[in-house]
């Protein structure tokens, strides 16, 4: 949920985006918690049941409890050609969510290909690799052994994927592979560029090596700091307590920041304050826009998140739920920040292209669009399910 940004005499008011707390009825797993009727579930068990609003396709960060392990079959598919199948045996490098995931890679027949690492980036895990090989090719008269060089670039991302029009989130490996084929040794083979789409699926493939079993680890809670939201962002927290999921939710509903739109306390809140780094100056009787620093307009952000005081004795399921819940609300608030960042870039561009007479109107139009984007995002996440409207959001 967002407050309206107002532009008047080249001034922009404080802007806000919020995430309301979860219901007192917990989801059955971290995946379900991040994919409920809204990215910010509804307050209070007295609310009527809600249906998920249609959502755009989304790539989501994972909590530590969602990280995949073991063998995954990855299929590289290209129209008009036979699919390539490989097996990636995944093993997290350590217990923390921020640790990378090591991969042992082999063909679907069990032949070793090599090893790789899925690097942790913003709650997701990214693998990139280049490979060069000598291959046979067809020069139009027949097959030429070792007639071409094939250079491939593979990109795979482990994340939570939400298809368009649904609230269901599934952990998957997806990506692309591009292969550039060039003739070698004077062969008459043609050069080619081949693009593949990659999709993964967990498998019990018998030929895949079995990772060394590790003793069960205590669930870990992710640490969400300033860096999660990027530059000019500061995270502040409010304390919540409880030994069970319903107790934690009750504490959030009692202690979270107040939301005028939903008339209740929110779970997370994003405040964005604009900084203007330009002045309107009179030179020889003419008004000019002088930029004093670049970018001409930027926002600083304050993100409010819950901080759970974890009891000494608490069941692992509650810890896992909290880890997923914290990741979910932080990801929701980060999207608000991203909308503001895009808006600041557009406003800076407007300063460069405007004059004293039309600058205020152009900035006002961009601010109105930012407000609309923020409200539409919250409506899709939870507002429509609560019976709220776009107009009521924009009136904040």
């Amino acid at each position: 949920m967002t407050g309206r940004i107002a532009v008047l005499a080249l001034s922009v008011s404080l802007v806000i985006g919020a995430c309301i707390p979860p219901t007192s009825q917990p989801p059955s797993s971290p995946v379900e918690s991040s994919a409920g009727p809204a990215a910010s579930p509804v307050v209070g068990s007295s609310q009527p049941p809600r249906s998920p609003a249609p959502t755009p396709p989304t790539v989501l960060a994972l909590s530590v409890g969602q990280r995949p392990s073991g063998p995954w079959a990855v299929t590289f598919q290209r129209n008009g050609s036979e699919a390539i199948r490989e097996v990636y045996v995944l093993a997290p490098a350590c217990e923390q969510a921020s640790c990378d995931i090591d991969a042992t890679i082999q063909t679907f027949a069990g032949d070793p290909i090599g090893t790789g690492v899925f690097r942790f980036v913003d709650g997701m895990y990214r693998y990139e690799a280049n490979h060069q090989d000598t291959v046979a090719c067809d020069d139009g008269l027949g097959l030429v052994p070792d007639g071409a060089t094939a250079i491939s670039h593979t990109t795979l991302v482990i994340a939570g994927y939400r298809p368009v029009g649904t609230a269901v989130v599934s952990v998957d490996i997806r990506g692309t592979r591009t292969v550039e084929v060039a003739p070698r040794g004077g062969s008459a083979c043609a050069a080619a560029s081949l693009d593949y789409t990659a999709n993964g699926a967990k498998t019990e493939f018998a030929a895949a090596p079995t990772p060394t079993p590790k003793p069960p680890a205590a669930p870990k809670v992710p640490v969400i700091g300033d860096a999660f939201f990027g530059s000019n962002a500061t995270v502040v927290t409010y304390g919540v307590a409880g030994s069970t999921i319903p107790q934690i939710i009750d504490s959030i509903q009692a202690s979270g920041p107040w939301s005028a739109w939903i008339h209740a306390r929110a779970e997370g809140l994003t405040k964005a304050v604009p900084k203007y780094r330009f002045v309107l100056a009179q030179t020889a009787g003419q008004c000019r826009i002088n930029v004093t620093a670049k970018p001409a307009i930027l926002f600083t952000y304050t993100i409010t998140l819950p901080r759970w005081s974890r009891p000494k004795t608490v069941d692992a399921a509650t810890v896992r739920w909290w880890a997923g819940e914290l990741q979910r609300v932080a990801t929701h608030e980060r999207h608000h920040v991203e909308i503001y960042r895009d808006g600041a870039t557009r406003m800076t561009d407007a300063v460069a292209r405007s004059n004293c007479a039309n600058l205020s109107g152009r900035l006002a139009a961009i601010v109105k669009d930012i407000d609309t984007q923020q409200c539409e995002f919250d409506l899709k996440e939870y507002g429509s399910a609560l019976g709220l409207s776009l107009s009521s959001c924009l009136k904040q």
Side-chain angles (χ1 to χ4, degrees), residues 230-243:
S231 59
N232 302 318
T234 301
V235 173
V236 298
T237 61
Y238 63 94
V240 297
S243 299

Side-chain angles (χ1 to χ4, degrees), residues 316-353:
T318 298
V319 178
R320 282 192 295 270
W321 173 85
W322 173 254
E325 182 63 22
L326 181 59
Q327 186 76 51
R328 180 195 66 79
V329 67
T331 301
H332 176 95
E333 297 306 325
R334 184 170 63 182
H335 188 73
H336 282 303
V337 172
E338 291 168 351
I339 293 175
Y340 289 135
R341 288 194 193 281
D342 176 71
T345 299
R346 292 159 57 200
M347 293 172 75
T348 294
D349 182 62
V351 171
R353 295 183 296 101

Side-chain angles (χ1 to χ4, degrees), residues 138-165:
D138 192 332
D139 65 357
L141 299 176
L143 197 64
V144 181
D146 299 334
T149 298
I151 301 175
S152 67
H153 178 76
T154 303
T155 300
L156 299 174
V157 177
I158 300 174
Y161 292 90
R162 181 171 63 192
V164 63

Side-chain angles (χ1 to χ4, degrees), residues 101-190:
I101 298 178
D102 296 325
T104 301
I105 311 168
Q106 65 181 59
T107 69
F108 210 68
D111 298 324
I113 295 177
T115 60
V117 178
F118 285 81
R119 304 289 183 187
F120 176 82
V121 181
D122 292 338
M124 306 176 195
Y125 302 87
R126 184 181 183 88
Y127 166 86
E128 291 203 36
N130 294 311
H131 181 74
Q132 180 172 320
D133 199 5
T134 301
V135 297
C137 62
D138 192 332
D139 65 357
L141 299 176
L143 197 64
V144 181
D146 299 334
T149 298
I151 301 175
S152 67
H153 178 76
T154 303
T155 300
L156 299 174
V157 177
I158 300 174
Y161 292 90
R162 181 171 63 192
V164 63
T166 178
V168 177
V169 176
S170 60
V171 178
D172 200 354
I173 302 176
R174 299 184 187 179
T176 60
R177 172 173 290 172
T178 301
V179 182
E180 300 293 337
V181 181
R184 63 183 299 272
S187 77
C189 295

Side-chain angles (χ1 to χ4, degrees), residues 346-370:
R346 292 159 57 200
M347 293 172 75
T348 294
D349 182 62
V351 171
R353 295 183 296 101
S354 301
N355 54 44
C356 294
N358 60 22
L359 177 60
S360 180
R362 289 181 174 182
L363 292 182
I366 297 171
V367 166
K368 182 178 180 180
D369 184 61
I370 295 172

Side-chain angles (χ1 to χ4, degrees), residues 253-304:
Q253 294 174 348
S255 304
W258 178 258
S259 164
W261 188 37
I262 64 173
H263 305 292
R265 294 193 178 274
E267 183 173 11
L269 184 71
T270 294
K271 294 182 179 180
V273 178
K275 287 188 176 181
Y276 290 91
R277 285 136 44 114
F278 68 90
V279 295
L280 304 185
Q282 291 288 336
T283 304
Q286 297 292 323
C287 179
R288 297 177 59 87
I289 302 171
N290 291 338
V291 176
T292 58
K294 294 183 177 180
I297 297 176
L298 58 78
F299 289 103
T300 59
Y301 310 95
T302 302
I303 300 94
T304 302

